[in-house]
Amino acid sequence: MASNKAKQSEMDIPEEQTIPIVLVDGSSYLFRAFYALPALTNSAGQATGAIRGVIAMIRKLAKDYEGSTLVVVFDAPGKTFRDDMYSEYKANRESMPDDLREQIQPIHDIIRAMGLPLLMVTGVEADDVIGTLAQQATMAKRKTVISTGDKDMAQLVSNYVTLVNTMTETAMDRSGVIEKFGVPPESIIDYLALMGDSADNIPGVPKVGPKTAAKWLNEYGSLDEVMARASEIKGKVGENLRDSLEQLPLSRLLTTIKCDVELDHSIEDLAHSEADHQALHDYFTQLEFKAWTQEVQKADIDSVVAPQSAIERSYSTITKQKDLAAYLVKCRQAGAFAVDTETTSLNYMQAALVGFSFAYKVGEAVYVPVGHDYAGAPAQLSLAEALSEIVPLLADPSLTKIGQNLKYDISVLARHGVEVKGPICDTMLESYVLNSVATRHNMDDLAKFYLSHSTIHFEDIAGKGAKQLTFNEIPIEQAAPYAAQDADITLQLHQTLSARLAQHKRLQMVLNDLEQPLVRVLSNIERHGALVDGRLLKQQSAELADRILQLNEEAWVLAGEEFNLDSPKQLQKILYEKLALPILKKTPKGAPSTAEPVLVDLARDYELPATILEYRSLAKLKSTYTDKLPLQINPETGRIHTSYHQAVTATGRLSSADPNLQNIPIRNAEGRRIRQAFVAPPGMLLVAADYSQIELRIMAHLSQDENLLRAFAEGLDVHAATAGEVFSKT
């Protein structure tokens, strides 16, 4: 019968009320976060540790109780009725630290921006507001969770009210209260009154702790009965009880949570409002909570981007010149369109055009094949026929061309005599400028991150590894959806990213005035290439080979036997077993390390590690540069053509790849010799320019620090000058 009754009472509760309301003790969160976490600050010196801790706990709570209304309650400034009742209430507490006080308002602002109800009631504490709401919930037979670390809240536990502790990830119902405190929830007030509370300066009975308080209440039933029968309790503790009889009623009043606070809203009125994603983005950006900034940004994007499943797609293949001409008229009328090229290679200096894709309207795109040459390939437009229609469109300065990594397309088209004129919009750069670290900036990742859409990957149609097909070998019926999708997704990304950038005028300025104009400049630089004297590199490679062989023999002499210098295991045996050199560091598997930092330390005292270091350095120079660079000289231009990537580094610097020309060593003679192989043509000079210590110069300007400004004005070594200041040496 008992189980049937329980089932019946559950059925009496409306279905939506089985989802608990969550009451958050914000003041408890605040102090616990402040003292539990390190003193975090952002780059401006603003304290952020408590903010991060409180908001992290609330966010986790929202996930744990998805669908529930979270109500966050904080203590209001000023005195409460308990101060009027007892002037010494909380008199022992130290004043709130300034670096905690300054974090309260940002916490409140973020909670409100999250759309959560936030309550503060003058004259009472957060406990009393929570108690009143919990009482209302119980009267309405509504399940309630109180998130707190405050033991006083145990008095509120009922059949409908449960406590959770986010720090220890524990929950406490009625049986949990009995297990933890030894008394049921209805006895917690008396329990607390007997013990008192030094933190709140509530007087109790001296020397009475949890066990004694629970024992008395279980034996006598209530505080009133304990007081009435105080004469029966023997020993010093009984004497203490009798001495405390006058103050115990006050202690009980002070520990009693007020459950009839007058509130502007009842628990039924409290509900979430829509989160202000822009405000959250601004708060998290200022506080430098990067992961949360990215998460909010994505949530904001997801809220305005149409689900990909809801977008009707119409992709087609054009193989006739009149159809291409008709479609490009629509692109022209739209004023802006996405364009993409399909080629035979990622190397812009070797790539041959295989096809074009266009999109001027979301969900609609076309593919124009011109170079599929596999056996049985259907008739296509010739490249000349296609370009006769496409060139005027791309050369029109009034039309905006939208692309993903447009520099590659511009370079490939330029090699085929096609110039892309007019405004350009590069979705890779739009994403990079908006948030350089939110995601990788290739199309597949951008589509996943900003559009929640999984694209057709190149490997899906071309295969992988040694047997991977080049685009001209892929059947058109498979290539067309992939290529058309590229243009369609590029258009969608542009619409999404440009809308976001419009909200950040300074970022939009960086994109329009710096990054996108640089695309054509870099394309020209890359295609022009760097002139290299291959003869010098080959000569140096031969010299390095001789020196490497010499070092190999020197190492054998020092070791007293021949061994493979490139084998870590053999080197370990020589260094640590045969020569018994000190083991400075071990690998994760426990073996003595032969890593470069370890060898550098050993080389200060031992000759063999020094020889190994020189061997490794020269071997790397030879394999990475003097052997490879001559092979990367383009036979048509006689130059090396690197790629300068704008959207790789988080700091905004360019990066060089295929080959990497930025990492050629300069601090040793052999590295400088490699750089000497980069030459100027007759009658020309190479000029190197480097804005020395640019970050420090910016810092000096922004801070107006007198010592920094003086160091730069007088041409001093800034690092030496700073060290001198630190160690009081001039």
Side-chain angles (χ1 to χ4, degrees):
M1 289 297 294
S3 62
N4 288 338
K5 283 185 178 179
K7 186 177 291 186
Q8 183 63 40
S9 68
E10 182 76 8
M11 292 173 64
D12 290 341
I13 301 173
E15 183 178 349
E16 66 272 18
Q17 293 190 1
T18 62
I19 299 175
I21 187 166
V22 181
L23 306 176
V24 182
D25 184 357
S27 294
S28 171
Y29 273 28
L30 181 67
F31 285 96
R32 296 174 82 196
F34 179 73
Y35 290 106
L37 295 175
L40 304 176
T41 60
N42 64 6
S43 59
Q46 179 183 3
T48 61
I51 302 173
R52 185 171 189 87
V54 170
I55 301 305
M57 287 190 283
I58 291 175
R59 283 162 56 89
K60 183 179 187 303
L61 206 60
K63 291 181 180 179
D64 291 343
Y65 293 91
E66 188 173 359
S68 293
T69 297
L70 267 66
V71 181
V72 188
V73 186
F74 281 90
D75 291 330
K79 294 185 177 181
T80 71
F81 72 94
R82 292 183 180 84
D83 296 291
D84 297 331
M85 187 185 301
Y86 180 50
S87 60
E88 297 301 309
Y89 180 64
K90 295 188 178 181
N92 293 337
R93 288 199 177 184
E94 296 181 359
S95 59
M96 182 180 292
D98 290 340
D99 54 344
L100 173 57
R101 189 184 307 279
E102 71 182 37
Q103 297 183 70
I104 294 176
Q105 190 59 51
I107 290 172
H108 291 176
D109 292 340
I110 292 171
I111 290 171
R112 292 190 177 101
M114 292 170 72
L116 305 182
L118 186 146
L119 302 182
M120 291 184 293
V121 180
T122 303
V124 297
E125 297 179 51
D127 296 15
D128 304 309
V129 177
I130 291 173
T132 300
L133 293 173
Q135 181 69 20
Q136 292 179 10
T138 297
M139 296 296 292
K141 296 183 178 180
R142 182 166 185 180
K143 292 183 178 180
T144 305
V145 170
I146 299 175
S147 181
T148 183
D150 189 347
K151 64 181 184 298
D152 296 6
M153 295 283 194
Q155 64 188 272
L156 301 176
V157 171
S158 70
N159 291 335
Y160 296 100
V161 179
T162 303
L163 302 187
V164 297
N165 188 324
T166 55
M167 297 286 273
T168 60
E169 296 188 352
T170 56
M172 190 159 54
D173 56 9
R174 180 180 176 82
S175 62
V177 172
I178 296 172
E179 181 180 351
K180 181 175 178 63
F181 299 105
V183 296
E186 55 268 23
S187 296
I188 289 293
I189 295 172
D190 293 350
Y191 172 85
L192 296 172
L194 284 168
M195 291 193 302
D197 190 331
S198 59
D200 290 345
N201 201 34
I202 297 175
V205 179
K207 303 299 182 181
V208 170
K211 290 184 179 180
T212 302
K215 175 186 174 183
W216 286 352
L217 291 172
N218 285 320
E219 184 174 347
Y220 298 108
S222 68
L223 178 61
D224 289 334
E225 283 299 310
V226 172
M227 294 170 65
R229 300 172 66 175
S231 60
E232 301 176 12
I233 299 175
K234 307 299 181 183
K236 182 63 176 177
V237 71
E239 183 182 333
N240 290 342
L241 171 62
R242 289 184 286 276
D243 291 341
S244 304
L245 290 177
E246 185 178 345
Q247 67 191 21
L248 280 174
L250 173 63
S251 296
R252 179 162 54 187
L253 286 173
L254 292 173
T255 57
T256 300
I257 293 176
K258 184 177 176 63
C259 293
D260 58 355
V261 177
E262 291 188 13
L263 302 176
D264 293 335
H265 303 283
S266 72
I267 198 166
E268 299 299 333
D269 298 329
L270 297 171
H272 291 178
S273 59
E274 186 175 349
D276 186 340
H277 290 151
Q278 184 58 54
L280 288 173
H281 183 277
D282 293 343
Y283 289 137
F284 293 158
T285 299
Q286 176 190 342
L287 296 166
E288 298 174 4
F289 298 157
K290 293 183 179 179
W292 291 353
T293 302
Q294 296 165 17
E295 187 177 323
V296 170
Q297 179 178 318
K298 188 175 189 304
D300 193 16
I301 291 165
D302 290 345
S303 68
V304 297
V305 175
Q308 289 292 307
S309 57
I311 297 175
E312 294 186 5
R313 292 180 176 79
S314 176
Y315 298 161
S316 58
T317 304
I318 292 178
T319 58
K320 295 183 178 179
Q321 193 166 355
K322 65 176 183 177
D323 294 337
L324 176 58
Y327 183 85
L328 296 185
V329 167
K330 297 178 181 179
C331 292
R332 188 179 294 277
Q333 291 171 343
F337 57 89
V339 58
D340 187 43
T341 60
E342 300 300 345
T343 67
T344 57
S345 173
L346 294 176
N347 186 322
Y348 59 88
M349 291 300 294
Q350 299 174 0
L353 285 166
V354 179
F356 302 86
S357 55
F358 296 92
Y360 67 89
K361 181 180 178 182
V362 168
E364 294 185 11
V366 299
Y367 177 56
V368 185
V370 297
H372 291 265
D373 54 7
Y374 56 90
Q380 306 153 61
L381 286 172
S382 68
L383 178 59
E385 290 172 328
L387 288 179
S388 68
E389 303 293 340
I390 293 171
V391 167
L393 186 79
L394 298 180
D396 191 328
S398 68
L399 303 178
T400 299
K401 292 81 182 176
I402 304 163
Q404 165 72 18
N405 189 16
L406 264 173
K407 177 164 63 67
Y408 172 83
D409 302 284
I410 288 173
S411 294
V412 172
L413 289 167
R415 286 185 48 251
H416 288 78
V418 180
E419 185 177 1
V420 178
K421 298 181 180 179
I424 61 172
C425 294
D426 192 323
T427 52
M428 178 183 73
L429 297 179
E430 287 176 324
S431 171
Y432 178 69
V433 170
L434 182 62
N435 191 328
S436 65
V437 296
T439 179
R440 291 188 298 177
H441 305 286
N442 61 75
M443 179 178 290
D444 293 338
D445 286 324
L446 292 182
K448 191 72 174 177
F449 187 81
Y450 289 108
L451 306 178
S452 298
H453 177 66
S454 295
T455 56
I456 305 169
H457 293 188
F458 181 69
E459 291 80 4
D460 296 335
I461 62 171
K464 299 179 180 180
K467 295 184 178 180
Q468 186 177 70
L469 303 176
T470 53
F471 209 82
N472 57 302
E473 299 171 321
I474 298 172
I476 291 177
E477 59 269 20
Q478 296 178 28
Y482 167 86
Q485 177 194 247
D486 280 358
D488 181 25
I489 293 298
T490 297
L491 184 61
Q492 292 182 50
L493 285 171
H494 168 66
Q495 292 181 354
T496 299
L497 294 168
S498 61
R500 289 287 298 170
L501 282 164
Q503 301 174 27
H504 303 278
K505 299 301 182 184
R506 294 181 68 181
L507 294 182
Q508 199 171 42
M509 181 182 69
V510 171
L511 176 72
N512 295 334
D513 296 347
L514 178 63
E515 295 291 353
Q516 289 188 155
L518 190 59
V519 168
R520 289 188 172 96
V521 174
L522 291 177
S523 173
N524 287 333
I525 291 173
E526 290 175 355
R527 284 181 286 113
H528 187 267
L531 187 61
V532 178
D533 188 335
R535 181 186 56 80
L536 285 179
L537 288 173
K538 290 178 181 178
Q539 178 182 334
Q540 185 179 1
S541 186
E543 293 172 1
L544 285 174
D546 291 340
R547 177 58 181 157
I548 289 169
L549 181 59
Q550 182 182 349
L551 288 168
N552 198 94
E553 293 174 349
E554 289 176 6
W556 289 348
V557 171
L558 292 169
E561 63 178 87
E562 294 186 4
F563 69 99
N564 183 356
L565 274 65
D566 297 316
S567 169
K569 287 187 177 181
Q570 292 186 35
L571 184 58
Q572 286 170 3
K573 288 184 177 181
I574 295 294
L575 293 179
Y576 303 113
E577 294 180 17
K578 183 173 183 179
L579 301 181
L581 270 57
I583 299 173
L584 304 181
K585 187 177 180 180
K586 292 186 177 182
T587 67
K589 293 185 178 181
S593 175
T594 59
E596 182 174 342
V598 174
L599 295 183
V600 169
D601 288 339
L602 291 173
R604 295 188 179 99
D605 301 309
Y606 303 97
E607 192 173 353
L608 180 57
T611 302
I612 298 296
L613 284 172
E614 185 179 357
Y615 169 88
R616 287 182 178 179
S617 174
L618 297 185
K620 183 176 180 180
L621 286 177
K622 183 176 185 296
S623 63
T624 305
Y625 298 109
T626 61
D627 287 352
K628 283 190 176 180
L629 287 178
L631 301 178
Q632 293 176 298
I633 297 175
N634 186 289
E636 296 180 9
T637 65
R639 294 169 176 262
I640 287 179
H641 301 269
T642 186
S643 292
Y644 294 107
H645 298 301
Q646 291 175 261
V648 172
T649 68
T651 60
R653 292 173 178 253
L654 292 175
S655 68
S656 168
D658 303 318
N660 184 343
L661 299 184
Q662 292 178 320
N663 287 354
I664 300 175
I666 196 172
R667 295 184 179 180
N668 59 55
E670 295 298 340
R672 290 192 291 272
R673 283 191 63 195
I674 294 172
R675 289 172 175 252
Q676 290 173 3
F678 289 80
V679 296
M684 307 291 285
L685 292 174
L686 287 179
V687 177
D690 182 15
Y691 206 143
S692 175
Q693 300 175 326
I694 182 64
E695 294 89 351
L696 285 174
R697 292 175 188 272
I698 293 172
M699 185 169 69
H701 171 72
L702 294 177
S703 68
Q704 288 297 297
D705 181 87
E706 292 183 4
N707 291 326
L708 268 180
L709 291 171
R710 178 176 56 82
F712 281 119
E714 297 178 5
L716 302 178
D717 182 322
V718 175
H719 297 291
T722 303
E725 290 287 336
V726 171
F727 296 105
S728 301
K729 293 183 179 181
T730 57

